[in-house]
């Protein structure tokens, strides 16, 4: 009916208030101790030296998934001939046995976890060195299935210890080429902040879903962060803030060195998005001369999203050395 096409000003104002309240509610979700909400799924992540009593762990029905360390840096050479980077023959054999045992443990844990109904994922710890070789090493070691999560772990900006951000782009691009999916990114706040602030230099890395390492009781004020409106997973407990006397959350059958993560959704909701694989929408960099335009009642509230073709990088590029960046760690206390 023509006479009712124009919205009454009072209704318009009410709709705007409700929209803003809904937006505020979504942004506030999961900011403060979300692990205390029994509806939120919890994820354990572990490496080979974490001891686990699986019978006890599985008694905790909030544990919805298990992410295991897979590969670490470049693959070792186990031919045990020649110089072998200065190792003795005996040491080479020892390293090969350690590798074989860790991979068998990985496969055994995956079988136990998935048979018990847990979601499964694997991460690669990025180190200096050829990122394509590291990506192939991860895929050979983890052998990720279509229903399993893949993760790149970048622990800081020190390129002498960790994979550079430019090489990280190559790594995730190669994973995409070989599997058809992108991994998600695990890192701490300071590294995530740097990536967000320089997202024009890291158009892939800055759009990976974020596994956020932060050992505080809340993440208020941390998001939105570049392209990240919130975290995909939040690692809130580890050996850094969990002791015999105090721990944000204790997982039965594990020691205080186990890492625990929360997702602000139920296990059923998490299972629907678990394998991930897509990039997040890109947001434009803030410009000083941009003038904010107040939304009209008839226009939807939306964020400007730049239309980008997903780039796939397959060759290493030179690392841009961060300026005035000190050595960083997970803790961000």
């Amino acid at each position: 009916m023509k006479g009712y096409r124009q919205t009454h000003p009072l209704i318009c104002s009410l709709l705007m208030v409700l929209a803003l309240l809904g937006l505020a509610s979504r942004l506030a979700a999961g900011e403060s101790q979300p692990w205390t909400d029994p509806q939120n799924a919890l994820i354990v992540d572990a490496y080979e030296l974490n001891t686990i009593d699986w019978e006890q762990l599985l008694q905790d029905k909030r544990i919805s998934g298990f992410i295991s360390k897979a590969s670490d840096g470049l693959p070792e050479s186990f031919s045990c001939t020649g110089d072998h980077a200065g190792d003795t023959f005996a040491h080479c054999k020892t390293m090969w046995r350690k590798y074989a045992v860790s991979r068998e443990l990985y496969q055994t844990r995956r079988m136990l976890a998935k048979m018990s109904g847990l979601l499964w994922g694997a991460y690669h710890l990025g180190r200096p060195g050829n990122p394509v070789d590291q990506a192939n090493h991860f895929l050979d070691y983890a052998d990720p299935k279509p229903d399993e999560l893949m993760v790149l772990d970048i622990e800081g900006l020190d390129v002498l210890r960790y994979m550079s951000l430019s090489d990280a782009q190559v790594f995730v691009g190669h994973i995409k080429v070989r599997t058809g999916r992108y991994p998600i990114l695990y890192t701490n706040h300071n590294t995530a902040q740097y990536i967000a602030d320089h997202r024009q230099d890291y158009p892939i890395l800055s759009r990976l879903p974020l596994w956020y390492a932060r050992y505080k009781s809340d993440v208020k004020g941390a998001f939105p962060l570049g392209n990240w409106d919130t975290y995909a997973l939040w690692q809130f407990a580890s050996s850094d803030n969990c002791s015999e006397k105090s721990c944000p959350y204790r997982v039965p059958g594990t020691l205080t060195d186990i890492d625990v993560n929360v997702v602000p959704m139920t296990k059923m909701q998490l299972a629907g998005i678990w394998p991930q694989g897509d990039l997040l929408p890109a947001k434009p960099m803030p410009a000083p001369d941009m003038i904010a335009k107040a939304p009209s009642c008839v226009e939807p509230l939306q964020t400007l999203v730049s239309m980008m073709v997903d780039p796939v990088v397959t060759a290493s590029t030179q690392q841009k050395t961060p300026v005035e960046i000190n050595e960083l760690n997970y803790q961000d206390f």
Side-chain angles (χ1 to χ4, degrees):
M1 298 173 62
K2 292 174 65 175
Y4 291 92
R5 289 179 64 86
Q6 186 172 4
T7 306
H8 191 280
L10 181 60
I11 296 176
C12 180
S13 299
L14 179 60
L15 291 173
M16 289 289 291
V17 169
L18 290 175
L20 291 173
L21 285 175
L23 177 62
S25 176
R26 289 195 299 275
L27 291 178
E31 280 193 342
S32 181
Q33 297 186 325
W35 53 88
T36 61
D37 184 344
Q39 296 299 312
N40 287 338
L42 297 179
I43 309 294
V44 168
D45 70 275
Y47 73 117
E48 61 269 18
L49 296 183
N50 288 125
T51 58
I52 298 172
D53 184 321
W54 281 86
E55 185 176 5
Q56 291 186 39
L57 181 146
L58 293 170
Q59 297 304 309
D60 188 341
K61 299 307 179 183
R62 289 191 61 193
I63 304 301
S64 305
F66 194 105
I67 303 176
S68 176
K69 181 181 179 182
S71 45
D72 187 329
L74 289 165
E76 285 277 359
S77 171
F78 295 112
S79 64
C80 297
T81 59
D83 180 49
H84 191 68
D87 286 347
T88 64
F89 180 83
H91 183 259
C92 175
K93 287 293 187 182
T94 298
M95 293 302 293
W96 168 247
R97 283 192 292 270
K98 180 177 182 293
Y99 174 84
V101 169
S102 70
R103 188 148 188 254
E104 184 175 338
L105 176 62
Y106 172 88
Q107 294 168 337
T108 301
R109 284 179 169 177
R110 174 163 62 180
M111 179 180 66
L112 286 170
K114 298 184 78 169
M115 286 179 60
S116 303
L118 297 182
L119 302 167
W120 181 263
Y123 70 89
H124 173 84
L125 179 54
R127 301 284 193 184
N130 188 302
V132 172
D133 289 345
Q134 292 192 57
N136 289 332
H137 180 34
F138 169 68
L139 295 175
D140 291 345
Y141 188 110
D143 187 23
K145 308 304 180 186
D147 63 342
E148 296 174 3
L149 183 71
M150 301 181 292
V151 185
L152 172 60
D153 176 357
I154 300 294
E155 302 198 0
L157 295 171
D158 183 351
V159 296
L160 297 179
R161 299 174 61 192
Y162 309 121
M163 180 183 285
S164 72
L165 299 183
S166 295
D167 279 354
Q169 290 233 127
V170 178
F171 179 98
V172 300
H174 193 70
I175 295 293
K176 168 71 171 176
V177 168
R178 284 196 54 185
T179 67
R181 294 188 290 139
Y182 286 106
I184 70 170
L185 174 67
Y186 169 92
T187 197
N188 58 35
H189 177 78
N190 292 320
T191 306
Q193 182 73 66
Y194 186 85
I195 294 171
D197 291 344
H198 299 82
R199 57 189 183 274
Q200 74 278 9
D201 297 324
Y202 310 111
I204 306 178
L205 209 60
S206 62
R207 293 176 59 196
L208 300 178
L210 180 63
W211 179 3
Y212 188 59
R214 184 177 175 96
Y215 307 137
K216 292 185 175 183
S217 61
D218 63 65
V219 292
K220 293 177 180 177
F223 296 97
L225 185 64
N227 295 319
W228 295 302
D229 287 330
T230 186
Y231 54 86
L233 290 84
W234 174 6
Q235 186 181 87
F236 66 90
S238 75
S239 57
D240 287 314
N241 66 340
C242 188
S243 65
E244 294 294 339
K245 294 183 178 180
S246 174
C247 190
Y249 191 90
R250 295 193 187 278
V251 178
T254 68
L255 302 179
T256 58
D257 61 346
I258 200 73
D259 296 337
V260 192
N261 311 267
V262 66
V263 183
M265 62 183 69
T266 66
K267 180 178 181 178
M268 184 175 297
Q269 292 170 328
L270 178 62
I273 64 168
W274 177 251
Q276 298 284 344
D278 296 323
L279 296 179
L280 300 173
K283 295 181 180 180
M285 295 293 292
D289 58 346
M290 288 181 66
I291 300 176
K293 178 184 177 183
S296 67
C297 185
V298 296
E299 293 177 345
L301 296 174
Q302 59 183 0
T303 302
L304 291 176
V305 178
S306 62
M307 303 301 293
M308 294 181 60
V309 177
D310 290 349
V312 176
V313 182
T314 57
S316 181
T317 55
Q318 185 175 1
Q319 164 68 7
K320 296 180 176 67
T321 304
V323 179
E324 297 182 358
I325 295 294
N326 297 321
E327 182 176 351
L328 304 174
N329 55 44
Y330 284 168
Q331 299 176 30
D332 189 32
F333 289 120

